């Protein structure tokens, strides 16, 4: 069953402007070390950060809260499987919210997809509950 769906569209040029203006202060406040390593090793650093920004916004919407109620930016983190597929992990308040919305006898799975076409970066997040075996 679907527990939540979220989407977000981020402007890569706006993220680049924020990076130019605030630099590491912005990056350290919003992105985990894993996300920072990924973005800093890419030719399109701003695009990589923009996709992850959109994923965090989309995840917060799928959780039914938006970025309020105690969710921290770093409570939601995008990493990649060896195949390149993005995966979303939640910790802290976001993980607590996910546990609350997951029905008893089910496990929750967060699906995320990212795309970009300059100047836009987009993310979709679907939170699924599957019955435990």
């Amino acid at each position: 069953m679907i527990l939540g769906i979220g989407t977000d569209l981020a402007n890569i040029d706006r993220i680049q402007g924020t990076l130019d203006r605030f630099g590491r202060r912005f990056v350290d406040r919003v992105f985990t070390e894993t996300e920072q390593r990924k973005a800093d090793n890419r030719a399109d650093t701003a695009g990589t950060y923009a996709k992850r920004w959109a994923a965090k916004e989309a995840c917060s919407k799928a959780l039914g809260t938006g970025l309020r109620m105690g969710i921290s930016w770093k409570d939601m983190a995008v990493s990649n499987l060896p195949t390149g597929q993005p995966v979303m992990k939640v910790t802290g308040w976001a993980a607590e919210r996910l546990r609350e919305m997951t029905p008893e006898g089910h496990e929750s799975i967060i699906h995320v997809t990212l795309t970009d076409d300059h100047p836009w970066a987009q993310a979709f997040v679907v939170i699924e509950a599957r019955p435990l075996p």
Side-chain angles (χ1 to χ4, degrees):
M1 88 181 66
I2 302 299
L3 299 179
I5 299 172
T7 187
D8 193 65
L9 184 65
N11 185 288
I12 296 168
D13 293 332
R14 182 172 169 250
I15 296 295
Q16 181 64 63
T18 303
L19 290 167
D20 293 343
R21 184 169 178 199
F22 298 105
R24 297 311 304 178
R25 194 173 76 192
F26 165 67
V27 168
D28 290 339
R29 184 175 67 90
V30 175
F31 301 100
T32 65
E33 288 182 24
T34 300
E35 292 170 317
Q36 291 177 36
R37 275 193 307 276
K38 177 75 169 183
D40 293 344
N41 288 323
R42 301 294 297 265
D44 184 13
T45 302
T48 303
Y49 279 129
K51 285 185 277 190
R52 278 145 181 79
W53 172 279
K56 291 168 185 273
E57 288 274 7
C59 184
S60 70
K61 293 170 184 174
L63 289 167
T65 63
L67 283 162
R68 58 181 172 84
M69 297 176 63
I71 288 183
S72 163
W73 285 103
K74 289 185 177 181
D75 284 349
M76 300 164 288
V78 177
S79 61
N80 296 84
L81 297 176
T83 60
Q85 177 184 345
V87 292
M88 175 71 70
K89 302 249 193 267
V90 293
T91 59
W93 198 93
E96 182 181 316
R97 170 69 180 146
L98 184 59
R99 278 190 299 276
E100 289 172 1
M101 60 191 289
T102 304
E104 191 174 322
H106 289 73
E107 64 177 338
S108 57
I109 299 156
I110 302 174
H111 304 277
V112 61
T113 187
L114 309 173
T115 192
D116 65 291
D117 186 8
H118 196 88
W120 301 108
Q122 186 174 34
F124 287 94
V125 170
V126 175
I127 302 175
E128 173 189 10
R130 286 188 191 160
L132 292 169

